[in-house]
Amino acid sequence: MTGSPRTSPVWHPFCQHKLEPVFKQIVGTEGAHLIDEDGRSVLDAISSWWVITHGHRHPVIMAAIRLALERFDQIIFAEYTHEPAEELARGLIRLAPSGLAHVFYSDSGSTAVEVAIKMALGFFHNRRALRSRVVVMEHGYHGDTIGTMSAGERGVFNAAYTPLLFDVDTIPFPAPDREQQTLDALERFCRGGNVAALLIEPLVLGAGGMKMYSPRLLTEFRRITERYGTLMIADEVMTGWGRTGTLLACAQSGITPDILCLSKGITGGALPLAATLCTAEIFDAHLSEDRSRTFFHSSSYTANPIACAAALANLEVWREEPVEERIQAIAGMHHDRLARFRSDRRFVNVRQQGTIAALDLAVETTGYLSEVGPLLRTFFRQRDVLIRPLGNVIYLMPPYCVTVGDLDRAYGAIEEAAGFIEKAAR
Ligand SMILES: *Cc1c(COP(=O)(O)O)cnc(C)c1O
């Protein structure tokens, strides 16, 4: 960490520049590692904010991008179509739970969710049904646009913008002792009759603190929404592409949502792209000779062909390589290594879902602004491990090429960090 004056004009995301050290430059990436300007190899234990799935610069994906560059740049998608987008749409529908029939492209997780909300509202609007409420889960996160912030947990992140955020109905997080309460709350809202959609992160609430709930509940959510004709939007922007142990988290509950949001790992993390999948029923509700029923949404880079080619290569990696085995191996390693933390009083809520392992440091102040957050980040940085705790929540979400040695180093650093925090507190 240097104390040199800040001269860069760049404004970084989620960054308090007054407190942040001058940023190190990354000069290259390789597998599970980032190489910094000093030539140090940093273990990317959080997949560069959850996007990198197979590892950095996977050769199959890189080759597909190079090849696509020979033929394409951006093409206006409201006028034309192209093979990468067509083939990818068919590929996504094949992988998704059966019942999803259409694919709408955009370019980030936030836009995938915005599109989903607009699809749900448009569905009821076009059917002249008065439904416009959105039900969300406590601690949820769906992005940083005004719409997705409205659907997410309110707090310090969006306090300044609350005057612009729309109202939603919130069901409690289904902690093990309150599962029924959550189901009852959902049923109560849905019964009210004006709920257009339940918007939910399946199995793991990521940015809200890696909070996990059982697949059985997701099945129950589906049952309740179906009963009341409420649409279910599964935000699998983070949970998708193997993170929870299966390609999609929804698969563990055997459910088909009405709308499915994908991004982050859709290109293996190589390029920005998002897809919002929906049922034929939702598409058909927008199908009309009446132009006012059109789905009015687009972004300039919709279905960027290079990004679509990267995503197609990602599908090929899933088809051709033992990705599931790698995921199971990581899940097994987490399971073994987490065992010792369960009996360590300095940690609580030791938990895991597939390739995601999380545990909370037992400290007085919790939450994102918890004092320990920045201390921990500095500590991990010094050990060349990229771990970004969410307050006192420490988690690992490695790319699938991570080795036993890498993970042992990460867990070693976590154990050491607990000792470091203990000392700092004295
Ligand atoms: C990251 C994330 C988003 C937002 O994705 P961006 O690409 O950052 O806009 C939305 N939903 C969930 C569940 C996420 O984890």
Side-chain angles (χ1 to χ4, degrees):
M1 238 174 299
T2 62
S4 63
R6 190 182 134 72
T7 52
S8 167
V10 175
W11 194 342
H12 287 260
F14 268 77
C15 175
Q16 179 42 269
H17 279 285
K18 187 83 187 177
L19 299 171
E20 203 67 29
V22 172
F23 280 85
K24 275 257 157 68
Q25 280 193 27
I26 292 301
V27 296
T29 60
E30 186 69 62
H33 293 85
L34 311 173
I35 317 300
D36 76 13
E37 57 187 301
D38 304 328
R40 296 170 79 121
S41 176
V42 179
L43 173 63
D44 188 354
I46 58 164
S47 299
S48 277
W49 251 356
W50 321 346
V51 299
I52 302 294
T53 48
H54 312 294
H56 286 277
R57 288 195 303 114
H58 189 288
V60 172
I61 299 172
M62 296 297 109
I65 292 171
R66 267 183 229 112
L67 200 62
L69 286 170
E70 300 290 323
R71 295 169 61 200
F72 298 115
D73 50 11
Q74 179 64 26
I75 302 156
I76 178 172
F77 207 58
E79 290 276 343
Y80 293 106
T81 192
H82 49 77
E83 188 200 304
E86 293 291 334
E87 207 184 317
L88 178 60
R90 284 191 294 272
L92 292 174
I93 285 164
R94 259 196 308 276
L95 291 178
S98 76
L100 295 170
H102 295 276
V103 177
F104 192 95
Y105 290 111
S106 63
D107 30 46
S108 74
S110 299
T111 56
V113 176
E114 292 278 349
V115 164
I117 293 171
K118 286 176 70 172
M119 278 180 179
L121 272 280
F123 173 78
F124 289 108
H125 178 82
N126 287 349
R127 292 182 153 204
R128 307 290 180 254
L130 293 172
R131 287 198 187 211
S132 57
R133 298 290 298 182
V134 177
V135 174
V136 300
M137 186 182 278
E138 177 193 17
H139 303 303
Y141 176 82
H142 302 285
D144 279 331
T145 55
I146 297 293
T148 55
M149 276 193 298
S150 300
E153 180 81 1
R154 307 297 168 94
V156 66
F157 316 101
N158 41 44
Y161 327 115
T162 38
L164 295 187
L165 303 187
F166 59 76
D167 222 19
V168 292
D169 295 317
T170 307
I171 56 173
F173 174 78
D177 56 339
R178 321 187 285 195
E179 293 183 347
Q180 194 55 45
Q181 240 172 290
T182 302
L183 296 175
D184 292 346
L186 176 60
E187 182 131 25
R188 215 173 322 111
F189 287 132
C190 290
R191 202 186 296 130
N194 60 349
V195 177
L198 166 69
L199 165 59
I200 203 150
E201 291 165 87
L203 305 192
V204 184
L205 278 60
M210 296 300 151
K211 292 184 173 350
M212 302 175 185
Y213 62 87
S214 110
R216 187 183 62 78
L217 279 165
L218 198 58
T219 315
E220 291 296 307
F221 296 153
R222 178 71 281 196
R223 196 180 50 74
I224 294 169
T225 50
E226 239 160 30
R227 179 183 310 154
Y228 294 97
T230 301
L231 298 177
M232 181 172 181
I233 304 171
D235 177 356
E236 293 236 28
V237 169
M238 184 280 278
T239 53
W241 307 105
R243 296 293 182 197
T244 68
T246 43
L247 177 70
L248 296 175
C250 281
Q252 296 187 39
S253 305
I255 61 149
T256 301
D258 299 284
I259 305 177
L260 172 70
C261 305
L262 299 172
S263 188
K264 292 194 170 127
I266 193 171
T267 59
L271 286 172
L273 182 71
T276 306
L277 280 64
C278 72
T279 59
E281 212 187 359
I282 293 171
F283 179 84
D284 290 347
H286 291 83
L287 207 56
S288 169
E289 259 130 51
D290 175 357
R291 286 181 191 280
S292 73
R293 296 187 181 211
T294 303
F295 185 55
F296 292 109
H297 191 95
S298 175
S299 43
S300 306
Y301 287 99
T302 295
N304 177 268
I306 319 291
C308 288
L312 271 172
N314 173 44
L315 298 194
E316 185 188 329
V317 173
W318 273 89
R319 251 189 341 262
E320 304 292 331
E321 297 187 17
V323 181
E324 270 109 356
E325 284 161 41
R326 289 175 196 150
I327 286 170
Q328 290 321 315
I330 293 170
M333 287 190 262
H334 278 325
H335 181 81
D336 293 346
R337 279 150 190 80
L338 281 174
R340 72 172 186 267
F341 292 92
R342 289 184 201 278
S343 53
D344 188 331
R345 282 182 307 102
R346 298 171 302 178
F347 295 96
V348 290
N349 298 328
V350 179
R351 57 202 184 275
Q352 181 196 352
Q353 179 64 251
T355 70
I356 308 167
L359 63 182
D360 304 350
L361 254 189
V363 288
E364 305 262 305
T365 54
T366 58
Y368 186 84
L369 292 189
S370 165
E371 292 291 313
V372 300
L375 279 175
L376 285 169
R377 269 180 62 209
T378 307
F379 181 88
F380 290 128
R381 211 183 283 134
Q382 284 162 355
R383 268 149 197 77
D384 294 329
V385 180
L386 172 60
I387 296 178
R388 260 181 88 93
L390 297 155
N392 65 321
V393 178
I394 303 176
Y395 70 90
L396 298 176
M397 195 192 292
Y400 309 148
C401 64
V402 78
T403 63
V404 181
D406 289 334
L407 274 187
D408 276 335
R409 225 175 90 220
Y411 277 107
I414 292 173
E415 197 159 16
E416 250 190 285
F420 165 76
I421 293 294
E422 231 175 10
K423 263 197 225 106
R426 262 188 233 127

